[in-house]
């Protein structure tokens, strides 16, 4: 308990010399406002990053499920069409393929 | 009281008398000779086919073998997690596996369909043409749990431009429906049902407007359900569908949009929902009689992910 008392004394002694430049600068209102603005900006930036991350995740997984099979299948269809066009130009017209009708659910 | 919903009509007008002979005149509407309408329970058929594929989770293998021109047997193995209903918001899934054996008999006048599963369930369907216009249909689902089996019998009568249906089910379920073609593109119908066991009765109306390129349907029921759907055939291979369901008793709203691509080697259906659900279903033809199926469903709101793959062998 005696050591704590001595620490308090030392602190009060440093507060009394309040004309040290560093403490004056850090106590001024501009710096305080700047600090709180920086805190708010960090908070907003963190929230924005999180929600952008969530949105990016949702968009990416939805694209993988909805868009990717579509792109792949359309590509294959285009390749098949090109092949048929090539064959048709080489041999004359070929018979058209029947279209796919999957098992009805 | 439920109100009748009629989508905007554009009935073909009778042609002007003095039109130039070089231009083909639009067909005069023959109100005595309208086409037969779609059966009442299939009124949402196009939207259902595009927006509600049979999504599944796990592995599915189907093998169909035709013994005869009319008779065929099918074996299927289904393995995967199945959801059990739980009170907590967490979805609980238990892995199960079962084998299903089925037999089909298809004749122009009689169709029989039966399936048995290893967990004791039996599904049977019957469709019989008693005469040219009268059809008898029946279906039954039997389980070994008490009070969970049910069966239903339907009598359908098809007139020249109308259809009527009378339904009898177990648990004192009676239903009747009627649908009439009002113009070459528009048909209107209504239904009535009474369920004795639950002491409920209801009445509903439906309307369907279709042209070559689009189908719009609307249905209202006194159970509180309002369902609207619109399917547009963008080209021969592509159609886009949208669906809106609203329950005015429980204030539940669901809207969904989907696409349906029918290409030469595959059929791809995808849909996105207002409940934050994204689903896709792909059936790819690897070879003659060999189909590969992929199913995916992502529910962003409940964070529930379901993926399945399967193989279908046989015609």
């Amino acid at each position: 308990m005696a050591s704590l008392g001595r620490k308090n004394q030392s602190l009060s002694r440093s507060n009394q010399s309040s004309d040290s430049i560093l403490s004056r600068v850090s106590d001024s209102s501009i710096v305080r406002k700047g600090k709180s603005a920086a805190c708010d900006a960090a908070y907003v930036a963190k929230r924005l990053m999180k929600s952008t991350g969530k949105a990016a995740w949702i968009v990416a997984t939805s694209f993988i499920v909805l868009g990717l099979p579509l792109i792949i299948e359309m590509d294959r269809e285009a390749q098949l069409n090109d092949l048929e066009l090539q064959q048709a130009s080489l041999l004359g017209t070929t018979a058209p393929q029947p279209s796919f009708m999957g098992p009805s659910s | 009281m439920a109100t009748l919903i009629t989508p905007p009509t554009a009935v073909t007008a009778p042609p002007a008398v003095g039109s130039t002979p070089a231009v083909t005149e639009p067909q005069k509407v023959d109100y005595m000779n309208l086409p037969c309408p779609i059966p009442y329970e299939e009124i949402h058929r196009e939207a259902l086919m595009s927006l509600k594929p049979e999504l599944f989770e796990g592995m599915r293998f189907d093998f169909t073998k035709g013994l005869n021109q009319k008779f065929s047997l099918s074996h299927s193995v289904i393995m995967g997690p199945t959801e059990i209903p739980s009170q907590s918001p967490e979805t609980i899934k238990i892995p199960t596996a079962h084998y299903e054996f089925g037999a089909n008999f298809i004749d122009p006048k009689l169709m029989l369909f039966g399936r048995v599963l290893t967990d004791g369930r039996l599904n049977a369907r019957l469709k019989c043409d008693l005469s040219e216009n009268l059809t008898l249909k029946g279906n039954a689902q039997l389980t070994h749990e008490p009070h969970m089996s049910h069966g239903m019998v339907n009598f359908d009568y098809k007139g020249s431009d109308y259809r009527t249906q009378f339904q009898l089910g177990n648990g004192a379920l009676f239903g009747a429906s009627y649908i009439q073609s009002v113009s070459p593109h528009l048909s209107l119908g209504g239904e009535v049902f009474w369920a004795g066991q639950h002491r409920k009765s209801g009445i509903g109306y439906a309307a369907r407007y279709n042209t070559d390129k689009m189908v719009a349907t609307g249905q209202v029921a006194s159970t509180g359900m309002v369902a609207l759907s619109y399917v547009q055939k963008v080209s021969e291979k592509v159609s886009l569908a949208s669906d809106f369901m609203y329950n005015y008793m429980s204030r539940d709203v669901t809207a969904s949009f989907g696409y349906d691509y029918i290409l030469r080697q595959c059929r791809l259906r995808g849909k996105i929902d207002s409940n934050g659900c994204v689903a896709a279903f792909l059936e790819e033809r690897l070879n003659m009689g060999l189909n590969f199926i992929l199913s995916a469903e992502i529910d962003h709101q409940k964070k529930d992910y379901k993926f399945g793959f399967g193989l279908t062998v046989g015609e």
Side-chain angles (χ1 to χ4, degrees), chain B residues 147-178:
Chain B
H147 303 300
M148 293 286 280
S149 318
H150 43 265
M152 194 142 73
V153 170
N154 298 350
F155 292 95
D156 293 351
Y157 184 78
K158 180 172 80 164
S160 64
D161 61 355
Y162 65 91
R163 280 189 204 249
T164 63
Q165 183 188 74
F166 181 63
Q167 225 177 39
L168 287 164
N170 80 329
L173 173 71
F174 297 97
S177 76
Y178 177 79

Side-chain angles (χ1 to χ4, degrees), chain B residues 221-235:
Chain B
S222 70
T223 51
M225 179 196 72
V226 173
L228 308 169
S229 80
Y230 180 76
V231 178
Q232 169 91 24
K233 197 159 136 164
V234 171
S235 83

Side-chain angles (χ1 to χ4, degrees), chain A residues 45-59:
Chain A
K46 201 166 95 170
R47 290 282 295 263
L48 203 64
M49 283 289 291
K50 275 202 175 147
S51 53
T52 308
K54 266 198 228 171
W57 170 258
I58 289 178
V59 167

Side-chain angles (χ1 to χ4, degrees), chain B residues 16-309:
Chain B
V17 176
S19 54
T20 57
V23 176
T24 51
E25 300 185 353
Q27 294 276 19
K28 188 169 165 60
V29 174
D30 184 2
Y31 282 100
M32 291 295 118
N33 217 1
L34 292 173
C36 201
I38 306 275
Y40 189 89
E41 63 267 12
E42 287 180 28
I43 207 163
H44 294 286
R45 180 177 62 183
E46 276 83 6
L48 242 62
M49 276 194 343
S50 292
L51 289 175
K52 298 205 184 356
E54 278 179 1
L55 299 166
F56 62 96
E57 183 171 16
M59 187 203 81
R60 200 173 95 174
F61 175 75
D62 290 324
F63 175 63
T64 308
K65 171 96 181 152
L67 299 179
N68 208 348
Q69 217 176 20
K70 300 184 177 183
F71 188 65
S72 61
L73 295 176
S74 84
H75 306 266
S76 72
V77 175
I78 300 175
M79 298 170 135
T82 40
E83 257 180 55
I84 54 170
S86 75
Q87 280 75 19
S88 65
E90 296 269 315
T91 43
I92 301 182
K93 295 190 189 176
I94 295 186
T96 54
H98 51 255
Y99 163 75
E100 182 189 57
F101 173 73
N104 306 342
F105 176 78
I106 299 181
D107 197 43
K109 290 217 167 180
L110 176 65
M111 192 197 90
L112 299 169
F113 175 95
R115 292 273 182 276
V116 174
L117 279 96
T118 43
D119 51 3
R121 279 183 287 167
L122 171 74
N123 274 353
R125 286 211 312 248
L126 154 79
K127 175 171 172 271
C128 176
D129 288 340
L130 298 175
S131 84
E132 204 190 296
N133 289 337
L134 185 62
T135 306
L136 165 70
K137 285 202 271 203
N139 69 24
Q141 272 124 340
L142 308 176
T143 61
H144 61 80
E145 288 162 41
H147 303 300
M148 293 286 280
S149 318
H150 43 265
M152 194 142 73
V153 170
N154 298 350
F155 292 95
D156 293 351
Y157 184 78
K158 180 172 80 164
S160 64
D161 61 355
Y162 65 91
R163 280 189 204 249
T164 63
Q165 183 188 74
F166 181 63
Q167 225 177 39
L168 287 164
N170 80 329
L173 173 71
F174 297 97
S177 76
Y178 177 79
I179 184 164
Q180 164 91 43
S181 260
V182 165
S183 91
H185 298 294
L186 179 66
S187 46
L188 305 172
E191 70 166 345
V192 144
F193 74 88
W194 187 71
Q197 206 167 45
H198 307 280
R199 292 276 187 269
K200 273 204 275 217
S201 68
I203 193 170
Y205 303 103
R208 181 186 157 104
Y209 181 77
N210 71 343
T211 63
D212 287 338
K213 296 254 164 170
M214 61 85 129
V215 176
T217 67
Q219 187 172 18
V220 190
S222 70
T223 51
M225 179 196 72
V226 173
L228 308 169
S229 80
Y230 180 76
V231 178
Q232 169 91 24
K233 197 159 136 164
V234 171
S235 83
E236 233 181 51
K237 302 186 173 182
V238 183
S239 60
L240 300 173
S242 65
D243 179 278
F244 177 78
M245 265 224 340
Y246 172 55
N247 193 328
Y248 57 76
M249 303 283 188
S250 66
R251 302 275 180 214
D252 221 359
V253 183
T254 305
S256 62
F257 298 95
Y259 63 81
D260 187 354
Y261 269 72
I262 303 181
L263 303 173
R264 260 175 301 185
Q265 302 277 53
C266 74
R267 179 171 185 186
L268 177 59
R269 286 175 268 189
K271 89 159 194 246
I272 180 163
D273 221 343
S274 70
N275 296 334
C277 207
V278 166
F281 191 81
L282 167 70
E283 290 158 302
E284 170 121 18
R285 191 178 77 169
L286 297 178
N287 212 343
M288 184 68 204
L290 191 65
N291 286 344
F292 181 60
I293 306 177
L294 282 176
S295 147
E297 184 182 353
I298 296 185
D299 193 339
H300 290 291
Q301 211 164 30
K302 292 192 219 147
K303 303 237 194 282
D304 186 18
Y305 315 113
K306 297 193 191 140
F307 300 99
F309 76 97

